[in-house]
Amino acid sequence: MCSYYILRPMRDEMGIIGGVDNLQWLFTGTFVAMLAVVPLFGWVSSRYPRQRLLPLVYYFFIINMLVFYGLFQFDVVYIGVARAFFIWVSVFNLFVVSVFWSFMADLFSNAQARRLFGFIAAGGTAGALAGPLLTTALAVPLGPANLLWISALFLLLAVVCLHRLIAWRKDNTDDARDNPQVLPEDQAIGGNPFAGISLVLHSPYLLGICALMLLFTTLATFLYFQQAQIIRDSFTDSGQRTAVFAAIDLAVNSLTILIQVFLTGRLVKWLGLAGTLLLVPVLLGIGFLLLGLTPVLAVLVVVQVIRRAGNYAIMRPAREMLYVVLGREEKYKAKNFIDTVVYRGGDVVSAWAYTGLRTLGLGLGEIAFVAVPLAALWGWIAYGLGRQQTRLASTQRDTT
């Protein structure tokens, strides 16, 4: 996570260098890359044992970082490389984090996971805090490109941890044999991201979750585009912009861990699932209203921090609870389709919608006002899904 969060503000800066007016193409490229790479990775993973595949994935991305470092030295292709880097980081994040958690799920039994996964997630949050902190301090004196070496070093340390965990797994084969939840070493990773499409199309509840996801990505993309434009207009130095992006990440992750530790569990108890799902859309609707009235950097940063921290600490765990009342097939196949194809497809559609609004002559403030009723619709759907989940859970308890 530290390695990724060093790269994240660099990705945002590369989006500006590649052209704020071309961001919709970068989102489209990311969606196409996801569609192409996810099935390819599933095919490769079925042919390699995990103890070989996992380190190879990390080594592959480390080599990619060094290649990008070399390409960044040639100004003649800088814009093209910046755009490729933006797309690559999005793919990097998906695979490094997903493969890691797949390995954790195979490495530990269910009882071990209940005891340890909280500590493991806390390690990820610590890395998410350390990454932007390093980038904030080093982006200007070292330059953004040199941060790739630091990111590669942290990813290499993660490979060392992988090898240590694989060795520990081999030394505890009896424990693995006694725990049916622990899958064999040569078990394939991943699957077909489109397998759940028929389940989604035949379930109003899952279609509602799709609508929830589409509205979430639409509002997140609108705010991201506004962030890129305001920061581009506020700073002329690339290092300064990278440092600002890192500072936003640092604020988001700091607020996230505080909410996770002190509020997330209590909010569900106090407000119920429906009220918890409604909270972030209401806050974001107010934020867009303020941004419409005053589209300046300070307001943008506050709204962006609240949106992202609210998503990571409140909306994301509450959204995952919607799947608890469903069957196993829906939990895996349908959820995978929604989390990949629907999510990235929403990014693409909303990116082009934002571009269309700009083409029609709408300014940042006016687009923010357009987002307010979308936030209200998002909240209405979220609240309805929360109530429906509660009814389904109650029905299950009555039948058992």
Side-chain angles (χ1 to χ4, degrees), residues 5-232:
Y5 269 94
I6 290 173
L7 298 178
R8 182 186 171 94
M10 292 179 60
R11 182 203 68 168
D12 294 338
E13 166 61 7
M14 293 303 112
I16 291 178
I17 292 175
V20 172
D21 295 334
N22 296 313
L23 281 175
Q24 70 277 8
W25 288 106
L26 296 181
F27 276 69
T28 303
T30 299
F31 177 64
V32 172
M34 295 278 284
L35 289 180
V37 175
V38 170
L40 178 62
F41 177 78
W43 180 82
V44 173
S45 64
S46 66
R47 285 158 175 78
Y48 288 92
R50 301 218 171 173
Q51 65 268 26
R52 291 182 57 195
L53 177 65
L54 294 170
L56 284 175
V57 169
Y58 282 65
Y59 286 134
F60 171 77
F61 283 111
I62 290 172
I63 293 172
N64 287 177
M65 291 181 195
L66 302 182
V67 171
F68 272 111
Y69 174 80
L71 292 174
F72 282 141
Q73 309 310 307
F74 300 97
D75 292 339
V76 67
V77 294
Y78 198 57
I79 293 179
V81 173
R83 293 168 179 168
F85 184 81
F86 184 99
I87 294 172
W88 173 82
V89 171
S90 300
V91 175
F92 165 84
N93 178 39
L94 170 71
F95 280 97
V96 170
V97 176
S98 295
V99 170
F100 168 79
W101 280 109
S102 295
F103 182 49
M104 294 298 102
D106 287 348
L107 189 67
F108 298 109
S109 67
N110 182 59
Q112 290 171 324
R114 288 174 180 266
R115 187 174 71 254
L116 298 174
F117 274 23
F119 294 98
I120 295 170
T125 303
L129 287 168
L133 188 62
L134 288 170
T135 304
T136 302
L138 300 176
V140 174
L142 294 184
N146 289 307
L147 295 175
L148 286 166
W149 288 96
I150 301 175
S151 178
L153 174 62
F154 278 100
L155 196 58
L156 184 61
L157 292 174
V159 174
V160 174
C161 295
L162 275 178
H163 283 296
R164 292 290 299 275
L165 287 168
I166 290 170
W168 175 83
R169 170 73 172 272
K170 291 179 179 178
D171 292 339
N172 291 272
T173 52
D174 291 338
D175 291 340
R177 194 181 300 114
D178 292 338
N179 292 306
Q181 294 94 342
V182 178
L183 301 179
E185 293 290 334
D186 57 354
Q187 179 69 43
I189 299 174
N192 183 355
F194 305 104
I197 186 170
S198 61
L199 292 169
V200 169
L201 293 177
H202 290 88
S203 170
Y205 184 73
L206 289 172
L207 286 172
I209 298 177
C210 287
L212 178 77
M213 185 68 74
L214 286 171
L215 286 165
F216 161 73
T217 56
T218 296
L219 294 170
T221 300
F222 278 17
L223 195 57
Y224 181 82
F225 275 47
Q226 289 177 316
Q227 170 185 282
Q229 290 182 262
I230 291 176
I231 291 181
R232 178 199 60 184

Side-chain angles (χ1 to χ4, degrees), residues 318-397:
R319 192 173 71 229
E320 297 298 335
M321 294 179 194
L322 294 173
Y323 295 97
V324 173
V325 295
L326 299 177
R328 178 168 295 176
E329 195 171 23
E330 288 88 351
K331 288 178 182 176
Y332 289 93
K333 295 182 180 179
K335 184 179 184 303
N336 182 260
F337 172 76
I338 293 171
D339 286 349
T340 56
V341 177
V342 174
Y343 187 100
R344 296 304 183 187
D347 281 344
V348 174
V349 172
S350 54
W352 283 103
Y354 185 94
T355 302
L357 293 174
R358 292 288 289 173
T359 303
L360 292 174
L362 274 67
L364 296 179
E366 294 166 315
I367 293 177
F369 285 130
V370 171
V372 173
L374 293 178
L377 178 60
W378 180 31
W380 179 71
I381 292 174
Y383 186 79
L385 286 171
R387 289 176 58 87
Q388 188 172 354
Q389 194 269 6
T390 302
R391 288 195 295 269
L392 290 173
S394 178
T395 301
Q396 290 178 352
R397 284 195 300 270

